[in-house]
Amino acid sequence: MPSRARIGFKRHLSAEIADGEAAYLLSEDTVTALAGPCAATLAKLLDGTRDLQGILREASGELTVEQAANGVRQLAEAGFLTHYSDLDATVAPGVLAYWDAAGLDGSDAVRHLAASRVALVSLSPGAGDVAEALRRTGVGKVDSADIGADLAVVLCDDYLDPGLEAIAAACGEKGTPWLLAKPTGTELWLGPVFTRGDGACWHCLAERVGLHRRARAALRCSPQNVGIPPATAATAQLIALEAAKWLAGVRYHGQKSIWIQDSLSLASRHHPVTVRPQCGSCGDPGLMEAQAKRPVTLVSRPKAAWGAGGHRSATAEDTLRRFGDLISPVTGIVERIVPDSRGPRFFNCYRSGPNLALRARSLQGLQSVLRATSGGKGVSALDAEVGALGEAAERFSAAFHADEYRISAGYREVEDRAIHPDACQLYDARQYRDRDEWNRAHGWMLSIPEPLDERAVIDWTPLWSLTREEHRLLPTSLLYFGAPGPCLADSSGNAVGAALEDAVLQGLLEVIERDAVSLWWDNRLRMPGFDLDDLGDPWIDEHRQVHADLGRDVWVLDITADLPVPTMAAFSRSVRGPERIMFGFGAHLDPAVAVRRALTEVNQAMPWVVDDPEESGDPDFDRWLGEGASASCPYLLPDQAVPARRRVDHAFQERFDLAADVRHLQSLLESAGMEVLVLDQTRPDVGLSAVKVVVPGMRPIWARYAPGRLYDVPVKLGLRTEPTPYEELNPVPLWV
């Protein structure tokens, strides 16, 4: 600061001297003790009426010049001092103190505001109130036509107003930062401040906000404008305050967020606006294409977590910390994550909102989308919460966004590098023949599409073959939910993780799990139980007790098939009245983890049956609740003719690297004559690695009855003397 400037404590600080010796600095929320022999003496002199020389001179009666100078220097370095000027006499003390509290020099902040120009652009009523509020903050000039001003304040009724696109372009061309605000309605929306080349642009924001408007768009309705004078006046003042802070030089993370205040409850929250690296306006729209063209390269990835849910590259705490901003009802890809209140807390069931990336084409489709919520499960509540976030991110990433790399061609044109979808869908010709009757009787999850017209031009997407180390093609509609085309995508092999290797491992385990489930269920095989006491796991003991308290039995089948990867099916049934059997599945290299995964999946389903169940809208699920019973489905019960399996019955080699586990599973599948393919579905704006693992020939969990493993493996394992005839396959399809 200038040597002749008057100096003193920052204006928002009050100096208190106790007993003439100790000194304290008080702000609104802090008290700071000033240590040292010169503290009390200097505290009396630092009132803003003296320059440095005056302070040193008046302190000389009690302190040496060196002591006084060192004391002033230490207070300045600690951020307690500022300079005073003649402006102090003309500006309200509270105004200068406010800017000092904001970390600025109050006098400089006031001067900056007085010299500032604001462009006030309004697509909404209320501009006059905001203009007056800006002038009262000390802004020098407010002009609606001055788009090249120091800041543009843009008012709108809707953050998706089409008129904002032209405003964004004009501000971008001029390099003018602009503050967006919605002053109407019961909620004030304020921010972010858009600055060229720094952070998200309006198109990034519009993409995310638009995700949450799908329901309104499908219903083609608009909300009523509401407002009340006190709220309108308060909103104008808050908008002016935020603009003044920016102009004065205040910078904080919240300026890159939308701040929403509910005038009815006074609750408020910041909603971070995410930069979309693939944005067509401020980013590179070719990122998804470039990603699809790259090989999927696995690198060494040490395990950081060995929880009950599996082995991961990051702990649940770290994952939630890194990706928690994905949860927001305004700017997130997940509206919210909340515990399911039905049933005991031990269930640890968490639910997120609907898949925001799915597009509804009708009211019926909208109802399906709104029901398509994601869920999380786990031994702990934190595991379940992170699981719900992961599943929501998985489904968002696997939904069609229209920026995916696609090749348009007929099958015959690309058959040298394409895989026929029949090798993955595995519908029998008789299923195609009877598809209309089947589709009328079953829910959308079990719908059978039309067979591929090999002459029709459709979209194809490349996957990386880990086996052949080259790209292979599959129909885009088989890989992405909602993609136009002849196939119906399903969730088999979809997974996310904090790292690519994490996601690929989980995807492979799911493919193996669902294959084993299909072989057991569709053939109605009698499989051995698994001895839960053998694991000596207190959580499993508690699990059984919680279910017993609800009047339910719990047991686990070992349904491991020909691939030596422990796969379990867990069950819970009521012993009081209708059984309402719930089940869950789990696969893992460690049999203990496979068991826990299956049991936590049972818990995830339990809220549907702990109280009087409501109709789900899924005819297959509702039919199961009413008709499914162990007496008519003996394959649900352990085969008493063979001893229960134990952990030692499964060879388990602990590895400390996720990539090593992936390579092990890959080798098992390739030894069985199969090819392993991976599609990297990671969205640049999401961050969590997302993949779809595809192994042609492995059975999905749903009713797919084409020839192959479904008929061959039970005979190979000695569980059947001959393949099950098509007509004798399980008439009850799995719907999960």
Side-chain angles (χ1 to χ4, degrees):
M1 62 184 63
S3 60
R4 302 299 300 177
R6 289 180 282 123
I7 60 176
F9 290 118
K10 288 188 174 180
R11 300 169 185 86
H12 70 293
L13 298 174
S14 299
E16 296 291 337
I17 301 169
D19 300 326
E21 297 179 357
Y24 300 90
L25 287 182
L26 285 72
S27 69
E28 280 187 289
D29 56 358
T30 63
V31 176
T32 304
L34 300 180
C38 60
T41 300
L42 292 178
K44 299 173 186 176
L45 303 174
L46 289 166
D47 59 1
T49 62
R50 303 168 180 82
D51 60 15
L52 179 61
Q53 294 302 318
I55 292 171
L56 297 179
R57 183 172 57 254
E58 293 192 37
S60 61
E62 301 178 41
L63 305 171
T64 66
V65 172
E66 183 178 4
Q67 286 176 320
N70 284 338
V72 172
R73 176 179 55 78
Q74 291 172 3
L75 290 170
E77 291 175 349
F80 294 136
L81 303 184
T82 189
H83 74 271
Y84 287 65
S85 69
D86 294 339
L87 186 64
D88 289 54
T90 63
V91 179
V95 172
L96 295 167
Y98 180 87
W99 296 121
D100 277 4
L104 306 176
D105 180 281
S107 299
D108 289 345
V110 170
R111 291 191 185 95
H112 288 154
L113 280 173
S116 295
R117 296 154 40 220
V118 170
L120 181 58
V121 184
S122 183
L123 303 175
S124 168
D129 292 339
V130 176
E132 177 60 26
L134 284 166
R135 295 186 185 99
R136 292 184 64 186
T137 64
V139 171
K141 184 179 181 182
V142 180
D143 186 343
S144 61
D146 189 11
I147 203 66
D150 299 299
L151 177 70
V153 174
V154 180
L155 309 179
C156 65
D157 290 329
D158 186 348
Y159 270 36
L160 298 182
D161 190 314
L164 292 172
E165 185 165 9
I167 295 171
C171 290
E173 182 179 350
K174 292 283 188 179
T176 304
W178 59 293
L179 169 65
L180 183 59
K182 182 184 80 70
T184 56
T186 60
E187 290 183 339
L188 161 64
W189 287 34
L190 181 54
V193 177
F194 296 107
T195 53
R196 187 172 63 185
D198 180 22
C201 72
W202 174 79
H203 293 86
C204 294
L205 176 150
E207 175 68 23
R208 286 291 182 84
V209 172
L211 289 173
H212 300 269
R213 301 288 183 84
R214 293 271 164 80
R216 182 188 301 177
L219 295 173
R220 298 178 181 177
C221 63
S222 298
Q224 293 289 337
N225 286 330
V226 299
I228 190 170
T232 302
T235 295
Q237 297 296 331
L238 288 168
I239 294 170
L241 171 62
E242 195 65 12
K245 284 157 56 182
W246 176 270
L247 292 165
V250 174
R251 298 291 182 269
Y252 67 102
H253 185 66
Q255 289 167 323
K256 297 300 181 184
S257 303
I258 302 173
W259 180 68
I260 297 179
Q261 183 180 52
D262 185 336
S263 65
L264 299 175
S265 68
L266 296 186
S268 64
R269 176 184 167 186
H270 281 96
H271 300 267
V273 180
T274 300
V275 176
R276 299 184 69 250
Q278 71 270 43
C279 175
S281 179
C282 68
D284 179 0
L287 286 178
M288 291 300 291
E289 177 178 345
Q291 177 174 284
K293 291 180 175 179
R294 287 194 299 267
V296 173
T297 304
L298 303 175
V299 300
S300 176
R301 189 72 59 182
K303 297 177 181 178
W306 285 264
H311 302 170
R312 294 285 187 172
S313 61
T315 64
E317 293 88 348
D318 186 50
T319 301
L320 190 59
R321 178 186 58 80
R322 290 170 58 191
F323 300 105
D325 282 351
L326 296 173
I327 307 168
S328 164
V330 178
T331 59
I333 65 165
V334 187
E335 282 194 355
R336 59 187 57 84
I337 294 178
V338 295
D340 195 319
S341 60
R342 298 171 294 176
R345 292 181 61 185
F346 176 83
F347 287 163
N348 288 328
C349 295
Y350 277 71
R351 309 286 181 194
S352 65
N355 185 347
L356 300 177
L358 292 180
R359 291 168 168 80
R361 297 184 176 93
S362 65
L363 182 58
Q364 183 179 8
L366 172 63
Q367 292 170 341
S368 296
V369 167
L370 294 178
R371 284 197 299 264
T373 60
S374 300
K377 57 186 179 294
V379 170
S380 71
L382 178 61
D383 287 338
E385 184 177 2
V386 173
L389 171 60
E391 184 169 290
E394 169 194 311
R395 295 187 178 181
F396 179 87
S397 301
F400 182 68
H401 292 244
D403 61 351
E404 296 79 8
Y405 178 54
R406 288 159 284 164
I407 299 169
S408 295
Y411 172 70
R412 294 301 181 190
E413 298 175 65
V414 294
E415 63 178 322
D416 60 323
R417 51 196 170 122
I419 299 171
H420 198 288
D422 285 352
C424 302
Q425 295 186 113
L426 298 173
Y427 292 109
D428 187 87
R430 286 163 286 191
Q431 291 184 275
Y432 284 126
R433 182 194 65 196
D434 302 330
R435 62 179 294 273
D436 291 338
E437 181 182 355
W438 173 277
N439 289 345
R440 284 193 295 269
H442 298 283
W444 64 273
M445 291 182 65
L446 293 172
S447 296
I448 299 174
E450 293 183 358
L452 178 70
D453 180 352
E454 297 181 355
R455 298 167 299 177
V457 174
I458 65 171
D459 286 341
W460 301 81
T461 290
L463 304 85
W464 182 251
S465 172
L466 296 180
T467 302
R468 298 168 56 156
E469 296 188 340
E470 65 181 15
H471 280 106
R472 306 268 271 151
L473 298 176
L474 275 171
T476 304
S477 58
L478 185 65
L479 302 171
Y480 287 98
F481 296 110
C487 303
L488 295 176
D490 59 50
S491 60
S492 284
N494 286 107
V496 298
L500 180 68
E501 295 73 21
D502 194 343
V504 174
L505 175 60
Q506 306 310 317
L508 279 168
L509 288 170
E510 182 174 82
V511 167
I512 293 169
E513 170 200 300
R514 293 190 169 191
D515 176 82
V517 170
S518 177
L519 300 181
W520 156 71
W521 181 277
D522 290 334
N523 286 282
R524 292 182 278 186
L525 301 175
R526 297 303 305 273
M527 302 298 287
F530 189 91
D531 183 357
L532 295 178
D533 292 327
D534 176 64
L535 296 177
D537 186 337
W539 180 84
I540 291 178
D541 295 338
E542 185 178 2
H543 181 285
R544 289 188 286 184
Q545 185 59 54
V546 168
H547 283 253
D549 291 343
L550 294 171
R552 301 182 70 86
D553 285 337
V554 171
W555 71 95
V556 171
L557 297 183
D558 189 330
I559 60 171
T560 307
D562 57 325
L563 298 171
V565 178
T567 306
M568 307 294 167
F571 302 86
S572 173
R573 70 174 172 186
S574 174
V575 296
R576 307 166 184 164
E579 289 186 322
R580 292 176 183 166
I581 299 174
M582 287 289 99
F583 44 77
F585 310 115
H588 199 271
L589 291 166
D590 182 345
V593 175
V595 168
R596 293 192 201 102
R597 281 186 162 185
L599 289 170
T600 56
E601 196 164 275
V602 168
N603 285 346
Q604 187 179 16
M606 284 302 297
W608 288 100
V609 296
V610 289
D611 298 321
D612 291 333
E614 304 174 3
E615 287 195 3
S616 67
D618 185 322
D620 298 288
F621 178 66
D622 294 336
R623 192 177 300 122
W624 175 261
L625 286 185
E627 302 173 6
S630 56
S632 58
C633 304
Y635 57 92
L636 302 179
L637 299 172
D639 184 355
Q640 299 299 326
V642 295
R645 296 268 179 85
R646 302 170 62 196
R647 187 170 188 171
V648 295
D649 294 320
H650 294 275
F652 171 54
Q653 178 184 348
E654 180 67 270
R655 300 175 184 84
F656 299 95
D657 189 280
L658 293 170
D661 281 349
V662 170
R663 293 300 186 193
H664 173 68
L665 295 178
Q666 179 186 343
S667 68
L668 293 178
L669 289 161
E670 290 171 351
S671 296
M674 288 178 280
E675 180 181 6
V676 178
L677 304 111
V678 177
L679 172 61
D680 188 349
Q681 296 181 321
T682 305
R683 302 289 173 179
D685 56 326
V686 173
L688 276 164
S689 293
V691 301
K692 185 172 184 67
V693 175
V694 178
V695 182
M698 291 288 279
R699 313 303 299 205
I701 202 170
W702 301 282
R704 311 286 179 86
Y705 301 147
R709 289 176 55 81
L710 181 65
Y711 303 90
D712 302 338
V713 172
V715 176
K716 173 184 173 182
L717 295 176
L719 299 171
R720 284 279 186 270
T721 57
E722 58 184 23
T724 304
Y726 177 90
E727 297 76 13
E728 295 180 16
L729 293 171
N730 196 337
V732 180
L734 268 176
W735 66 91
V736 292

